[in-house]
Amino acid sequence: MDSILNQDIKYLQGVGPRRKDILHKELGIVSYGDLIEHYPYKYVDRSKIYRIDELTSDMPFVQVKGHILSFEQTTSGYRKTIVTAHFSDGTAVCDLVWFNGAKMVRANYNCHKEYIVFGKPTVFNHRIQITHPDIDDATSLQLSEMGMQPYYNTTEVMKRNALTSRAMEKIIRTLFSKLTTPLQETLPPFITNRLLLVSRDKALRDIHSPKSADDARNARYRLKFEELFYVQLNILRYASDHRRKYRGYVFSHIGEIFNDFYSHHLPFNLTEAQKRVIREIRSDLRSGSQMNRLLQGDVGSGKTLVALMTMLIAIDNGFQTCIMAPTEILAEQHLATIRKFLGDMPVRVELLTGIVKGKRRKEILQALMAGEIDILVGTHAVIEDTVQFSRLGLAVIDEQHRFGVAQRAKLWAKSTNPPHILVMTATPIPRTLAMTIYGDLDVSVIDELPPGRKPIYTLHRYDNRMAPLFQSIRKQIELGRQAYIVYPLIKESEKSDLKNLEDGYETICQAFPDMKISKVHGKMKPADKEEEMRRFASGETQILVSTTVIEVGVNVPNASVMVILDAQRFGLSQLHQLRGRVGRGADQSYCILVTKNSLSKETARRIDIMCETNDGFRIAEADLKLRGPGDLEGTQQSGIAFDLKIADIARDGQIVQLARDEARKIVDADPQCNSSQYQMLWNRLEELRKTNINWAAIS
């Protein structure tokens, strides 16, 4: 479609080979189509002219019309020339100031010629000043045609090469002047008419040159819908193809092992949410299709128990199972938890991680191949080529975003049929994000905590009042509890943070001279780290001073206090994960967020949200809105790039849902993709898949 959009931008007037190279390197723009999809991020109304005597420093961007009376040059610092133009419209005088580009200014602008000046007014030395303004020859600029002026994202490299937002606007206007015939439609009339969407041609023209705010709004809505619609169509078609092509092992019955566990070994009564999720999983396992299910639930909601019961169903049906964890600590914790749950049941559970070597490793590999191991717990070591199962029927993947797509695909090769897949995550994922990242997975949610768990009290304290905080910690420890104190070592290379941890450890030792204290950070040798964590878990030490290495993988029910220092440096999801380390026993637990006194508005909102709610899904929704999808833990590591040009997963939830509903209708009506009625959509999807958009779908 629209073959003209494939043309090389270097042939477009105002671009050329050098600018093309810059646009390619900075923004990935190489064709007309790429240029058209470089959408404005905001608009400014350029239809009004202000008088200079009306201007104040609290006004937004304005434009004035007048003459340059004179120029003045001063130097500042090393060979830096500042140019000031005194500009008047007859009502008053203002200063136009450039801190660089003196030659360009003197070469392009003359005294006593009429200009239209556009910029942000400020006040300096009691006079209105506009710094680095846009200036146009008044005779060549038709205000009636200006309307809403678009603003485009640019980079420093682009600005240094005169590719400013204004330059981009001119280049894009030039391109549209060449597009004399309407651009081809990419959505069928039965969608555009029913949803009242403007045409693709109008949307693309209006988004760059809207005559009104309504034009811009309608254009954005149409383009957002189309972008999200094709993402969802791709995901749903993939999922539909997958279900048709890959038959799953049929686990037809609930057997002796499951029933024995349910009757005699269940550690507590299942919550209604756990029962509902097990029913959903059970339905998948006997359907004949391969299960691909995402199990979401906050820390402590009982996901591991649900996973174990799913594995027991597989074992009852003559299959082996495995559970993959992202770290050795977490794998060992899963092993201990599963063995504790099973007690003396005749189920063989073994561990396979990088530290299992030599004779022991050989024994495990042989037993696995002989079908003697029922549950293999491990890290990525499980997918190594040397690891062969006799009959793998189910794979449980914990914290799926820590594994790459290629790693997960290797699991499939371990069995003649692909095993059923159960993905677990304790990072609550907002619904709109789940529909896009995990769109090909069925989703189950455990939204209830096991009986006896009390909500964690979250409090905000300032770092200039540490003494009362230490007193509170002491009271809890004297009651027989334990405490975590976390320092923000965000990156292991931040030496200053490591020093903060070391200094903090000394401070804690001085504040609690009669207590035993452990210290853990990522720079320690694994054996030393394991030993310190073991001492804390066993109760030998009362306080664990740590970095975020304890975010995942430590289960100490006796710990009732989590203190997070410099909490302003953490994102919401990470704060929530850290808070989940306490509240795992029956005692009341506390999370104390310690910050500096002065906080930005956004940071203060983050802290408030943490204090208001323990609901991981509400926190994840807030995190998505505050930080955007690309920053959320999980999306970047997963190999999923949000290569969306205009849609915003965080703010366009309703459009995501609408796009998914429309895409589902198409896939349900034409699962084989061969109906002439929908051919335009399938052709467009194939065209998009050949572009540089990352259409990867996790499975």
Side-chain angles (χ1 to χ4, degrees):
M1 292 190 182
D2 296 326
S3 57
I4 190 171
L5 297 186
N6 294 324
Q7 288 192 22
D8 193 324
I9 55 165
K10 74 179 175 186
Y11 300 115
L12 185 64
Q13 184 183 341
V15 182
R18 192 170 131 303
R19 279 186 157 185
K20 178 208 166 169
D21 190 46
I22 294 167
L23 288 171
H24 181 204
K25 285 177 181 172
E26 297 299 301
L27 300 176
I29 293 174
V30 294
S31 67
Y32 287 1
D34 296 333
L35 189 59
I36 279 180
E37 288 185 346
H38 183 57
Y39 300 122
Y41 67 91
K42 72 170 183 178
Y43 305 92
V44 173
D45 187 354
R46 291 293 303 268
S47 59
K48 181 176 179 181
I49 295 284
Y50 288 84
R51 299 196 319 264
I52 292 176
D53 66 357
E54 292 180 298
L55 302 186
T56 61
S57 61
D58 58 358
M59 294 174 80
F61 284 78
V62 297
Q63 59 188 0
V64 291
K65 186 177 181 181
H67 304 82
I68 294 173
L69 303 177
S70 62
F71 288 98
E72 186 181 326
Q73 280 192 196
T74 55
T75 55
S76 172
Y78 178 68
R79 299 176 66 183
K80 191 170 185 179
T81 303
I82 299 171
V83 178
T84 303
H86 304 298
F87 186 83
S88 175
D89 65 352
T91 68
V93 176
C94 68
D95 289 340
L96 313 180
V97 181
W98 293 266
F99 291 101
N100 49 47
K103 286 184 181 176
M104 180 277 293
V105 172
R106 298 307 299 268
N108 285 286
Y109 307 125
N110 305 312
C111 291
H112 308 300
K113 186 174 180 179
E114 192 171 45
Y115 293 106
I116 290 177
V117 170
F118 178 77
K120 171 77 177 77
T122 57
V123 173
F124 182 72
N125 283 343
H126 309 293
R127 184 182 278 191
I128 289 290
Q129 176 176 291
I130 300 176
T131 305
H132 291 276
D134 285 344
I135 299 187
D136 291 281
D137 184 336
T139 58
S140 66
L141 194 65
Q142 297 297 317
L143 288 179
S144 60
E145 293 175 8
M146 285 293 291
M148 308 287 288
Q149 183 180 349
Y151 272 69
Y152 298 89
N153 282 316
T154 56
T155 67
E156 287 305 314
V157 172
M158 289 172 66
K159 287 172 188 168
R160 285 201 299 271
N161 287 274
L163 275 169
T164 59
S165 171
R166 198 65 192 280
M168 293 299 293
E169 180 191 354
K170 288 175 181 174
I171 290 168
I172 290 169
R173 278 179 184 262
T174 300
L175 170 55
F176 275 107
S177 70
K178 292 172 68 71
L179 303 177
T180 51
T181 56
L183 293 163
Q184 281 184 277
E185 188 50 81
T186 46
L187 291 173
F190 65 80
I191 290 180
T192 55
N193 293 343
R194 186 159 42 79
L195 300 182
L196 304 176
L197 301 176
V198 299
S199 72
R200 177 175 177 242
D201 181 75
K202 180 170 173 56
L204 288 170
R205 292 177 192 274
D206 282 357
I207 194 125
H208 292 288
S209 300
K211 295 290 187 291
S212 68
D214 279 346
D215 282 351
R217 197 177 303 113
N218 292 336
R220 292 184 82 79
Y221 189 88
R222 151 68 202 235
L223 295 170
K224 284 180 177 187
F225 173 83
E226 178 175 349
E227 189 169 56
L228 292 167
F229 170 77
Y230 279 109
V231 168
Q232 293 298 335
L233 187 64
N234 183 70
I235 289 167
L236 292 173
R237 191 190 74 168
Y238 171 87
S240 172
D241 287 352
H242 184 91
R243 289 189 181 98
R244 279 202 325 277
K245 287 176 186 172
Y246 297 105
R247 306 307 299 160
Y249 293 118
V250 178
F251 298 170
S252 58
H253 68 283
I254 297 287
E256 188 180 328
I257 292 173
F258 183 94
N259 285 324
D260 179 29
F261 178 79
Y262 191 80
S263 302
H264 304 112
H265 295 268
L266 207 59
F268 46 76
N269 291 331
L270 296 177
T271 62
E272 287 305 312
Q274 285 173 311
K275 290 176 184 175
R276 183 188 69 242
V277 168
I278 290 170
R279 285 195 297 272
E280 290 167 353
I281 290 169
R282 174 87 179 98
S283 175
D284 287 349
L285 296 179
R286 62 184 173 201
S287 69
S289 294
Q290 186 216 7
M291 176 175 76
N292 271 297
R293 187 165 286 277
L294 173 67
L295 176 56
Q296 287 184 258
D298 255 336
V299 172
S301 60
K303 294 184 300 298
T304 305
L305 182 59
V306 168
L308 174 59
M309 293 174 77
T310 305
M311 290 190 277
L312 296 181
I313 294 172
I315 294 164
D316 268 335
N317 284 271
F319 288 89
Q320 294 170 291
T321 65
C322 73
I323 178 166
M324 275 173 68
T327 65
E328 290 185 355
I329 294 171
L330 198 50
E332 287 171 14
Q333 187 170 304
H334 278 314
L335 178 77
T337 303
I338 289 168
R339 283 182 171 166
K340 183 180 175 185
F341 281 156
L342 291 171
D344 59 357
M345 288 184 67
V347 176
R348 185 172 173 186
V349 187
E350 294 290 357
L351 179 73
L352 189 68
T353 65
I355 58 173
V356 180
K357 300 187 187 314
K359 186 182 175 186
R360 180 69 185 139
R361 188 181 189 86
K362 191 175 179 182
E363 286 171 358
I364 289 173
L365 294 179
Q366 286 174 346
L368 195 65
M369 213 162 172
E372 295 163 7
I373 294 173
D374 300 302
I375 300 173
L376 183 68
V377 182
T379 55
H380 59 275
V382 169
I383 57 174
E384 290 173 4
D385 293 338
T386 54
V387 180
Q388 296 296 324
F389 292 80
S390 169
R391 202 178 185 208
L392 178 64
L394 169 73
V396 179
I397 302 174
D398 195 13
E399 295 301 338
Q400 131 123 356
H401 60 262
R402 307 284 181 107
F403 295 102
V405 175
Q407 286 176 311
R408 291 190 299 276
K410 279 190 169 187
L411 270 173
W412 288 32
K414 304 286 181 190
S415 189
T416 47
N417 267 14
H420 293 294
I421 301 286
L422 180 66
V423 171
M424 300 195 300
T425 181
T427 306
I429 303 158
R431 205 170 54 83
T432 53
L433 197 60
M435 279 192 286
T436 308
I437 304 185
Y438 299 106
D440 59 323
L441 300 183
D442 297 307
V443 179
S444 290
V445 178
I446 302 179
D447 50 10
E448 221 179 318
L449 287 177
R453 293 283 177 89
K454 294 177 181 173
I456 302 162
Y457 284 146
T458 303
L459 309 163
H460 178 206
R461 296 289 181 264
Y462 294 109
D463 59 7
N464 59 354
R465 296 202 22 94
M466 294 299 287
L469 176 57
F470 288 158
Q471 279 182 315
S472 303
I473 295 171
R474 178 173 287 282
K475 279 182 188 173
Q476 285 292 305
I477 293 172
E478 286 170 353
L479 288 170
R481 317 277 186 260
Q482 290 166 275
Y484 297 98
I485 299 179
V486 177
Y487 283 82
L489 182 55
I490 306 295
K491 293 178 183 170
E492 295 295 351
S493 59
E494 291 185 29
K495 289 179 183 174
S496 61
D497 281 347
L498 198 54
K499 183 176 183 298
N500 288 345
L501 175 77
E502 299 291 355
D503 291 348
Y505 176 70
E506 292 301 323
T507 302
I508 301 302
C509 288
Q510 289 166 17
F512 301 93
D514 51 333
M515 306 284 179
K516 291 181 180 172
I517 301 169
S518 289
K519 177 177 65 176
V520 174
H521 59 79
K523 290 285 187 183
M524 293 168 69
K525 291 178 181 174
D528 294 340
K529 189 163 58 177
E530 296 283 339
E531 174 58 17
E532 289 297 299
M533 284 187 166
R534 185 201 63 73
R535 290 177 67 217
F536 184 67
S538 67
E540 290 175 40
T541 56
Q542 288 86 43
I543 299 174
L544 177 63
V545 179
S546 168
T547 62
T548 55
V549 292
I550 55 99
E551 183 185 340
V552 174
V554 180
N555 183 17
V556 184
N558 192 50
S560 66
V561 181
M562 166 62 71
V563 179
I564 305 172
L565 294 159
D566 280 336
Q568 73 275 3
R569 295 185 59 190
F570 296 91
L572 269 173
S573 288
Q574 198 172 28
L575 288 172
H576 183 62
Q577 286 283 316
L578 286 166
R579 177 168 62 183
R581 294 300 104 208
V582 295
R584 304 172 80 85
D587 300 312
Q588 180 61 60
S589 291
Y590 304 87
C591 176
I592 297 103
L593 307 176
V594 182
T595 70
K596 299 185 175 357
N597 276 59
S598 58
L599 298 175
S600 70
K601 190 175 176 183
E602 184 183 304
T603 303
R605 180 69 193 126
R606 268 208 314 272
I607 301 297
D608 288 346
I609 290 165
M610 285 296 297
C611 294
E612 287 164 12
T613 184
N614 282 295
D615 183 339
F617 289 94
R618 190 179 155 203
I619 286 165
E621 290 282 359
D623 207 21
L624 183 62
K625 283 176 180 165
L626 286 169
R627 297 203 290 160
D631 291 333
L632 289 187
E633 183 182 11
T635 57
Q636 291 185 331
Q637 298 98 310
S638 67
I640 295 296
F642 281 93
D643 197 2
L644 298 176
K645 301 280 195 266
I646 190 167
D648 182 324
I649 297 292
R651 293 170 180 82
D652 296 326
Q654 286 183 313
I655 307 178
V656 173
Q657 185 64 62
L658 178 64
R660 190 171 181 84
D661 292 345
E662 291 298 320
R664 187 172 291 287
K665 289 176 193 172
I666 306 300
V667 172
D668 288 348
D670 187 19
Q672 305 282 352
C673 309
N674 54 18
S675 167
S676 57
Q677 183 183 356
Y678 305 113
Q679 211 52 51
M680 169 196 197
L681 296 173
W682 302 128
N683 290 344
R684 177 63 173 164
L685 187 59
E686 281 309 304
E687 192 177 294
L688 288 168
R689 288 170 66 93
K690 289 172 188 170
T691 68
N692 62 353
I693 296 175
N694 185 344
W695 291 91
I698 293 180
S699 62

